[in-house]
Amino acid sequence: MHEGQRLSLIFPAYNEEKNIEKAVQEFRALGVFDEILVIDNNSKDQTEALARKAGARVISEPKQGYGHALRRGLDEALGDLIFLAEPDGTFAPHDVWKFLAYASDFDLVYDQAAFLGTLSAFDGICGARDPRPTKNCAKPTARQRGATLAAPGP
């Protein structure tokens, strides 16, 4: 919970047994997420079992592909604010606070992720409440307007 809003975290996952348990535990330790969803995209390893062990809600997405996994997560998430991240360490848990600093002012907050799990710089901040033009900015789709999204970039 953050400023009265429920927070959801979505991890799309395909064969992430080396990373998933640690990722769920580290993000859960922040104490801000109301739910952590792992969208298992047909993993052949122990991703599902390890995610459940760490306390995540695991949802199976049979349609293969990153986009299908993310879409399923967005459909299933219950939060007012939704974070999208990969469980491989490219997004450091403590960087959630950087996104939350802007969450009440914008409809969409995202960044350009750098190497070693750090954020290089905010690549764009946009939304209907944003009076400033920014580069690489897109309005949320009708499907997204019900929740603020925060996601690390590629």
Side-chain angles (χ1 to χ4, degrees):
M1 188 76 66
H2 176 73
E3 296 181 358
Q5 294 184 302
R6 291 177 42 115
L7 272 65
S8 296
L9 172 64
I10 299 170
F11 283 131
Y14 176 73
N15 293 339
E16 288 286 349
E17 73 180 2
K18 292 179 182 176
N19 304 310
I20 197 68
E21 189 172 17
K22 179 181 177 187
V24 171
Q25 290 170 344
E26 288 180 349
F27 278 85
R28 182 170 297 292
L30 293 174
V32 70
F33 288 102
D34 295 285
E35 66 175 350
I36 297 177
L37 289 80
V38 171
I39 310 304
D40 184 25
N41 202 207
N42 304 304
S43 295
K44 310 249 186 288
D45 61 8
Q46 295 298 309
T47 297
E48 179 181 355
L50 293 170
R52 285 188 199 283
K53 178 182 170 190
R57 179 164 60 114
V58 179
I59 298 161
S60 295
E61 173 48 58
K63 293 180 186 173
Q64 192 64 42
Y66 185 74
H68 291 295
L70 290 178
R71 179 169 288 191
R72 180 65 182 268
L74 291 170
D75 287 343
E76 297 283 343
L78 301 174
D80 302 304
L81 299 174
I82 301 171
F83 286 77
L84 309 173
E86 286 73 36
D88 63 3
T90 57
F91 183 58
H94 66 270
D95 285 328
V96 164
W97 306 113
K98 294 177 185 178
F99 288 104
L100 290 175
Y102 293 97
S104 63
D105 297 322
F106 302 99
D107 294 322
L108 175 65
V109 180
Y110 68 100
D111 95 300
Q112 178 67 36
F115 60 93
L116 300 178
T118 60
L119 303 178
S120 59
F122 282 99
D123 192 29
I125 301 170
C126 44
R129 295 179 297 237
D130 184 1
R132 301 165 296 146
T134 58
K135 67 176 189 170
N136 301 327
C137 209
K139 297 270 187 196
T141 66
R143 170 188 175 89
Q144 296 166 337
R145 286 191 189 110
T148 299
L149 303 179

